[in-house]
C-alpha cells in the first residue's frame, strides 16, 4: 500500500510539473514595444444645429475611428436624437461617405448617396439623388429641372470623370455596392448606433479615399468625409409629407444645410513598395490575408527586402501548388494542415505565423429595438443551417415549402432550440426570417475543421445521420444521403437540395434554387462584407427585361430595420467590418465567443498533427474557455527552394514572429481578429526561419521540433547549431532566433547586429543583443527545462512499472 501511495504521489508530481511547463510555454512574452493604439484618440464628435423646423441642437454624433482607415466597418453612435417612428416615416439619420479636399467638407456632388431609394416601408421608390420629388424646396436654386423630367444632384467622381446624367445613373455605384445608410434608427431614449462600411479607393475608385495625390505641390493621400444629415418630422416646406412620411432627398439645399461633417484619413492605397524590389510569390490561407495586407508595406520598406505578392487560395490548392511547382509558381504557402511529403530530398519546414479562427458573423436588426448584439449557437443549429434544413433555405417565404422539409421551422429564428438559447426571439415576428447563412465555394482546411467540430458533437452528429431534434426538426434528406456524420475529409459546403421553384413575370417563367436563395461567396471576406451591408445577394425576384432583353432574377435589398444576415467567415474579416459574432458551444457545453483569450485557449488544447511541430485543430478538445474553431496558420516551404527565396521567406517569418505580433490598426501591426502568437510558437517560428534559410537540402525529418518545450523531431532538446541552421525545437538554442542563443556564424555579420524591431531591418537574417522579453524568454526555457526534467523523473518510475506488467440525387422541378 505504501508503494502504491508513493507511486501515485510521483505520478501527481510529475504531471503537475509537465502541466506547469506547458502553461509557462503558452503564456505570451511581454511585447518588446508598447502595443500601438492607432485608432486611439481618433474619435470625433460633432453637434447638430437647430434648423428651421426641427431642433437638432442636442444631437451629438461620434465617429469612433477617423485615422488609419481602410475598407472596414466603423462604429458610429449618437445621443440627443428624435426617436424614429415605425416604418421609418420620419426622425432618422442619413449617413454617407464623400470625397473632397475643401476645408469645410465636401460638396453634395461629391457624396455617394441615392442608390437605395426612399418611400419608407413600401412607399413609392424614388432615387434619393432626385430633389424634385415630394415637397418643393424653396431654397433650391442650382438644380431645378436639370434632368429628363426631373431635378437631381449629379455625382462627380474623384478622378475628374463625367458626372452622372440622372438620379438613376448607376455608372459609379448602385444598391449592390453603395455604402450609404438612408435610415439609421434612433431609439426611444434618443440614442443610436450603427457600424458604417468605410470604402477606400480600392473598394470605391469614384471616391478615391487614400489614393496618393498631389495637392498644392505636395504628395499625400486624398482625404474623405463622413456626412450625417439628420431628418426630423418636417419636410423642406414645413409640411409633414404625404402620410406623414419624408419624401425629399438629404441632398436638397435645405436638408443639406443641416449636415454634420467629419474628416476621414485613410491609409495609403496601392503598391507602397519601392520599385525594383525582387518579388516573391506566396499563396494560401485566407486566415492570414488581413495580416499579410498589414505587414506588406513594412516588410518591403527595409533595405534589401523583397516584395511579397500574396495570392489567396484554399489551403489544399496551395499545398498542391508547392508540391508540384511549375515555372513562376509560389514557393511558400500559408496553410493550416501541413505540407505534403513526396519522399524526395527536399523536406517541408513549417513556421507558425498567426492565430485566428472561423466565426459565425451576423448583422441582425430587431424590429423596434435595434441591432442584436449577441447570439448563442450549438453545433446542431449550425448543422441545420448548413444542410438547408429550414424551409426558407429551400424556397422563398411567399411559396409553400416542399414536402421533404414541410414539418421543419421556417428559419433559424423560428427554431425552438434557437429560441431557448436566445430569449430575445421568444416573440419573434412570424413573417420575418433571416437570409440563409453565407458560405464560401472554395475547399479549405478551416471548412474541414468546422465539419469535424459538428461530427465531434453527439447532437449534431446524430442530426446529420437523420435523428430528429427534440422538437421534431429533421435534416434535409438530400444531405443525409451525403453521410456527413461519418465522412472525413469533407472540406467544402455542399448545396445538395435540387428543388427548383418557378416564378413568372409577364409571360416569362424563371426558376431559382438554393444557390440563388443563398449564393456562394467568393471568399470569407466577401461574406463579411455582404453581412455588413445586410444583403446576402440572393436573386429570387423576377424582373422584366428592358428594351426587349429577357427577364431575369434580381436581388431585392432588404428593408431597413429588417436586415438579418449570417455568414461563416474568419475572425479578422468579422473584426474588420465590425460584425457581431456568435458564441459557440464547445466540448464541455460552455458557450464561448471568439476573443484573443479564447483563441489562445483553443490553441493550448491542440496536439501535434502527423507532422511533428504542426498543431492540428481539434474542436473536440476545446473545453472551458477554449474557442472550438481556433486555428494556427503556418508558413510552409520546402528546403529545395532556391537559396535567395529561402532567405527572403525567412525574413518574412521573422517579421511575422516579432513585430508582426504587435496588435494594432497601423500598417505593419497585427490587425484585430488575431491573437498574438504564444511565446513558444514565436520561438518555434524563429527556429524554423533559421532552418529554412540555412537548409542543406538533405532528407530525413522535418526538423520542426516537438510540442512546446520539447526537442525537435530527431534532435535533442538543445539542437545543433550550424547543421540545419538552428535548433530542433523551441527548447534549444536557435542560431539567430531573436537573440535566444549564441550566434552560429552562418549569416553575414552586419545582419547579426541588426535591430529586429526596426522598420528598416525587418528582413535581416539575425539580430544581436538581448531585449527584456528575450531575457524573459531565456529564463522561461530554463524554467521549462527544469520542470520537464522533474516531470519526467516523477513519471519514469511508475511508467516503467506499468510497462512491465457523396451521392448525386435527381428530383423533378418544383413549381408554384
Amino acid at each position: 500500500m505504501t508503494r502504491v501511495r508513493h507511486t501515485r504521489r510521483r505520478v501527481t508530481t510529475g504531471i503537475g510539473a509537465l502541466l506547469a511547463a506547458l502553461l509557462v510555454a503558452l503564456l505570451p512574452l511581454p511585447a518588446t514595444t508598447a502595443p500601438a493604439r492607432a485608432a486611439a484618440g481618433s474619435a470625433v464628435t460633432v453637434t447638430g444645429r437647430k434648423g428651421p423646423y426641427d431642433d437638432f441642437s442636442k444631437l451629438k454624433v461620434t465617429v469612433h475611428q477617423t485615422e488609419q482607415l481602410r475598407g472596414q466597418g466603423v462604429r458610429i453612435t449618437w445621443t440627443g436624437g428624435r426617436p424614429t417612428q415605425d416604418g421609418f416615416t420620419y426622425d432618422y439619420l442619413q449617413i454617407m461617405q464623400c470625397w473632397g479636399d475643401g476645408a469645410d467638407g465636401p460638396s453634395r456632388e461629391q457624396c455617394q448617396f441615392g442608390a437605395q431609394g426612399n418611400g419608407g416601408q413600401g412607399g413609392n421608390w424614388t432615387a434619393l439623388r432626385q430633389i424634385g420629388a415630394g415637397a418643393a424646396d424653396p431654397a433650391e436654386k442650382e438644380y431645378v429641372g436639370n434632368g429628363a423630367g426631373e431635378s437631381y444632384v449629379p455625382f462627380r467622381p474623384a478622378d475628374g470623370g463625367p458626372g452622372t446624367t440622372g438620379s438613376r445613373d448607376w455608372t459609379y455605384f448602385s444598391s449592390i455596392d453603395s455604402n450609404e445608410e438612408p435610415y439609421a434608427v434612433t431609439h426611444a431614449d434618443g440614442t443610436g448606433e450603427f457600424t458604417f462600411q468605410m470604402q477606400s479607393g480600392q473598394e470605391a475608385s469614384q471616391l478615391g479615399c487614400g489614393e496618393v495625390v498631389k495637392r498644392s505641390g505636395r504628395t499625400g493621400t486624398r482625404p474623405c468625409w463622413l456626412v450625417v444629415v439628420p431628418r426630423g418630422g418636417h419636410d423642406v416646406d414645413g409640411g409633414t409629407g404625404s402620410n406623414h412620411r419624408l419624401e425629399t432627398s438629404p441632398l436638397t439645399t435645405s436638408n443639406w444645410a443641416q449636415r454634420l461633417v467629419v474628416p476621414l484619413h485613410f491609409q495609403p492605397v496601392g503598391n507602397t513598395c519601392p520599385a525594383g524590389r525582387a518579388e516573391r510569390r506566396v499563396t494560401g490561407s485566407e486566415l492570414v490575408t488581413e495580416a499579410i495586407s498589414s505587414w506588406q508595406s513594412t516588410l518591403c520598406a527595409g533595405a534589401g527586402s523583397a516584395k511579397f505578392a500574396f495570392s489567396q487560395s484554399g489551403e489544399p490548392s496551395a499545398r498542391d501548388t508547392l508540391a508540384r511547382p511549375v515555372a513562376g509558381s509560389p514557393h511558400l504557402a500559408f496553410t493550416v494542415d501541413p505540407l505534403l511529403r513526396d519522399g524526395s530530398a527536399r523536406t517541408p519546414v513549417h513556421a507558425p505565423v498567426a492565430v485566428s479562427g472561423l466565426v459565425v458573423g451576423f448583422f441582425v436588426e430587431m424590429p423596434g429595438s435595434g441591432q442584436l448584439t449577441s447570439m448563442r449557437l450549438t453545433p446542431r443549429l449550425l448543422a441545420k443551417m448548413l444542410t438547408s434544413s429550414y424551409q426558407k433555405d429551400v424556397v422563398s417565404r411567399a411559396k409553400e415549402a416542399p414536402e421533404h422539409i414541410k414539418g421543419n421551422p421556417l428559419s433559424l429564428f423560428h427554431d425552438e432550440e434557437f429560441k431557448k438559447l436566445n430569449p430575445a426571439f421568444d416573440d419573434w415576428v412570424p413573417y420575418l426570417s433571416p437570409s440563409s447563412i453565407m458560405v464560401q465555394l472554395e475547399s479549405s482546411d478551416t471548412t474541414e475543421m468546422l465539419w469535424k467540430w459538428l461530427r465531434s458533437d453527439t447532437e449534431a452528429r446524430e442530426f446529420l445521420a437523420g435523428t430528429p431534434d427534440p422538437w421534431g426538426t429533421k435534416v434535409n434528406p438530400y444531405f443525409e444521403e451525403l453521410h456527413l456524420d461519418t465522412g472525413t475529409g469533407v472540406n467544402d459546403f455542399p448545396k445538395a437540395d435540387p428543388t427548383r421553384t418557378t416564378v413568372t413575370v409577364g409571360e416569362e417563367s424563371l426558376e431559382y434554387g438554393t444557390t440563388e436563395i443563398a449564393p456562394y461567396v467568393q471568399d470569407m471576406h466577401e461574406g463579411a462584407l455582404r453581412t455588413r451591408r445586410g444583403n446576402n445577394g440572393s436573386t429570387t425576384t423576377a424582373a422584366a427585361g428592358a428594351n426587349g432583353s429577357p427577364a431575369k432574377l434580381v436581388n431585392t435589398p432588404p428593408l431597413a430595420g429588417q436586415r438579418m444576415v449570417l455568414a461563416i467567415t474568419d475572425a479578422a474579416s468579422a473584426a474588420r467590418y465590425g460584425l457581431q459574432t456568435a458564441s459557440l458551444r464547445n466540448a464541455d457545453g460552455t458557450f464561448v465567443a471568439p476573443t484573443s483569450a479564447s483563441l489562445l485557449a483553443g490553441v493550448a488544447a491542440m496536439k501535434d498533427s502527423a507532422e511533428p511541430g504542426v498543431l492540428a485543430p481539434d474542436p473536440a478538445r476545446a473545453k472551458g474557455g477554449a474557442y472550438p474553431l481556433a486555428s494556427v496558420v503556418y508558413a510552409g516551404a520546402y528546403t529545395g527552394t532556391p537559396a535567395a527565396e529561402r532567405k527572403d521567406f525567412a525574413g518574412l517569418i521573422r517579421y511575422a514572429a516579432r513585430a508582426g505580433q504587435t496588435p494594432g490598426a497601423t500598417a505593419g501591426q497585427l490587425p484585430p481578429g488575431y491573437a498574438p502568437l504564444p511565446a513558444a510558437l514565436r520561438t518555434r517560428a524563429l527556429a524554423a526561419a533559421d532552418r529554412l534559410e540555412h537548409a542543406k537540402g538533405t532528407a530525413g525529418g522535418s526538423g520542426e521540433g516537438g510540442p512546446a518545450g520539447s526537442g525537435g523531431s530527431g534532435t535533442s532538446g538543445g539542437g545543433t547549431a550550424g547543421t540545419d541552421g538552428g535548433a530542433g525545437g523551441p527548447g534549444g538554442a536557435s542560431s539567430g532566433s531573436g537573440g535566444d542563443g549564441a550566434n552560429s556564424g552562418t549569416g553575414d555579420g552586419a545582419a547579426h547586429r541588426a535591430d529586429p524591431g526596426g522598420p528598416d531591418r525587418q528582413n535581416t537574417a539575425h539580430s544581436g543583443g538581448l531585449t527584456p522579453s528575450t531575457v524573459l524568454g531565456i529564463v522561461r526555457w530554463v524554467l521549462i527545462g527544469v520542470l520537464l526534467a522533474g516531470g519526467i523523473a516523477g513519471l519514469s518510475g511508475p511508467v516503467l512499472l506499468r510497462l512491465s506488467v457523396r451521392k448525386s440525387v435527381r428530383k423533378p422541378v418544383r413549381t408554384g
Side-chain angles (χ1 to χ4, degrees), residues 423-436:
F425 291 84
D426 279 346
D427 299 318
W428 185 248
V429 183
Y431 63 85
L432 293 179
S433 53
S435 300
S436 300

Side-chain angles (χ1 to χ4, degrees), residues 8-24 787-788 790-792 794-795:
R8 288 176 178 172
R9 189 180 303 117
R10 292 189 64 181
V11 170
T12 302
T13 303
I15 292 175
L18 291 174
L19 289 175
L22 176 61
L23 177 63
V24 172
L787 291 169
L788 283 172
I792 293 170
L795 290 173

Side-chain angles (χ1 to χ4, degrees), residues 273-289:
C273 291
R277 294 294 170 87
E279 181 175 280
R280 303 302 185 201
R281 297 188 61 197
V282 297
T283 188
S285 178
E286 184 176 0
L287 289 185
V288 81
T289 298

Side-chain angles (χ1 to χ4, degrees), residues 226-396:
L226 188 81
V227 173
V228 178
V229 179
R231 306 301 300 273
H234 297 82
D235 234 324
V236 292
D237 61 352
T240 56
S242 62
N243 299 320
H244 208 172
R245 181 176 63 237
L246 301 180
E247 295 180 331
T248 54
S249 167
L251 302 181
T252 196
T253 297
S254 294
N255 291 329
W256 185 250
Q258 302 302 312
R259 69 192 182 279
L260 287 70
V261 179
V262 176
L264 305 173
H265 302 282
F266 282 73
Q267 296 178 12
V269 171
N271 183 11
T272 57
C273 291
R277 294 294 170 87
E279 181 175 280
R280 303 302 185 201
R281 297 188 61 197
V282 297
T283 188
S285 178
E286 184 176 0
L287 289 185
V288 81
T289 298
E290 293 294 325
I292 289 291
S293 299
S294 174
W295 297 339
Q296 174 66 286
S297 60
T298 306
L299 275 168
C300 66
S305 302
K307 177 171 64 176
F308 296 97
F310 174 65
S311 59
Q312 180 182 292
S313 73
E315 296 90 352
S317 175
R319 288 192 294 272
D320 188 67
T321 296
L322 261 65
R324 300 170 179 82
V326 296
S329 66
H331 289 156
L332 181 140
F334 295 100
T335 182
V336 176
D337 292 343
L339 297 182
L340 307 174
R341 285 183 171 271
D342 57 9
S344 67
R346 62 177 194 161
T347 57
V349 175
H350 301 90
V353 294
V355 172
S356 188
L358 289 190
V359 302
V360 177
F362 64 90
F363 172 32
V364 174
E365 292 177 317
M366 304 286 288
S369 59
Q371 295 179 31
L372 184 71
T373 58
S374 64
M375 181 184 295
R376 286 183 166 191
L377 292 175
T378 64
R380 182 167 59 195
L381 284 170
L382 200 56
K384 295 174 185 178
M385 287 188 277
L386 294 176
T387 56
S388 300
S389 294
Y390 295 119
Q391 295 182 27
K392 195 176 180 295
D393 295 341
V394 177
V395 67
S396 73

Side-chain angles (χ1 to χ4, degrees), residues 41 67 108 120 198 219 234 238 293 343 363 410-411 463 468 530 610 625 676 747-748 766:
E67 304 281 349
R108 49 186 176 163
M198 295 292 181
T219 299
H234 297 82
S293 299
F363 172 32
L410 175 68
S411 74
F463 178 82
R530 286 194 194 178
D748 62 75
H766 303 288

Side-chain angles (χ1 to χ4, degrees), residues 438-515:
M438 287 182 287
V439 294
Q440 65 173 334
L441 177 62
E442 191 169 25
S443 300
S444 73
D445 292 350
T446 50
T447 300
E448 183 176 351
M449 171 184 68
L450 190 151
W451 286 111
K452 186 177 181 180
W453 174 54
L454 300 187
R455 290 195 303 272
S456 72
D457 179 83
T458 301
E459 292 178 351
R461 184 176 64 253
E462 291 179 348
F463 178 82
L464 291 171
T467 302
D469 74 4
W471 299 271
T473 303
K474 299 179 181 180
V475 68
N476 186 320
Y478 294 107
F479 288 83
E480 182 181 351
E481 294 169 355
L482 297 179
H483 303 293
L484 297 171
D485 60 314
T486 58
T488 58
V490 180
N491 60 8
D492 63 352
F493 294 110
K495 290 185 181 291
D497 193 312
T499 302
R500 306 293 293 176
T501 299
T502 300
V503 291
T504 60
V505 53
E507 296 182 355
E508 296 186 73
S509 296
L510 302 169
E511 289 182 355
Y512 68 79
T514 56
T515 53

Side-chain angles (χ1 to χ4, degrees), residues 27-188:
L27 287 173
L29 285 173
T32 55
T33 57
R37 298 167 59 88
S42 71
V44 171
T45 300
V46 289
T47 302
R49 42 188 176 274
K50 184 174 174 56
Y53 304 112
D54 296 293
D55 188 354
F56 300 117
S57 58
K58 294 183 180 180
L59 177 66
K60 294 183 183 297
V61 179
T62 299
V63 181
H64 289 263
Q65 183 183 346
T66 61
E67 304 281 349
Q68 294 290 333
L69 294 168
R70 52 184 181 148
Q72 64 177 87
V74 170
R75 184 168 171 255
I76 301 172
T77 58
W78 57 95
T79 61
R82 299 165 59 97
T84 300
Q85 303 304 306
D86 289 344
F88 298 91
T89 51
Y90 53 96
D91 292 322
Y92 46 80
L93 304 186
Q94 296 183 303
I95 309 173
M96 64 197 79
Q97 186 178 337
C98 315
W99 68 275
D101 51 12
D104 297 327
S107 69
R108 49 186 176 163
E109 297 85 358
Q110 296 170 320
C111 291
Q112 181 168 280
F113 195 86
Q116 301 292 349
N118 77 345
Q121 303 290 70
N124 294 326
W125 196 94
T126 303
L128 284 174
R129 295 199 79 87
Q130 185 176 346
I131 59 175
D137 185 358
E140 183 60 53
K141 306 298 183 185
E142 186 172 4
Y143 297 114
V144 178
N146 62 323
E150 67 171 357
S151 301
Y152 75 99
V153 177
F155 173 78
R156 305 190 190 282
D159 63 4
T164 53
T165 58
S167 64
R168 302 194 190 199
D169 181 347
W170 311 132
T171 300
Y172 300 108
F173 57 90
S174 69
S175 61
I176 296 296
D177 53 16
S178 178
N179 62 352
E180 66 196 71
E181 175 50 40
Y183 303 105
V185 178
T186 300
H187 304 308

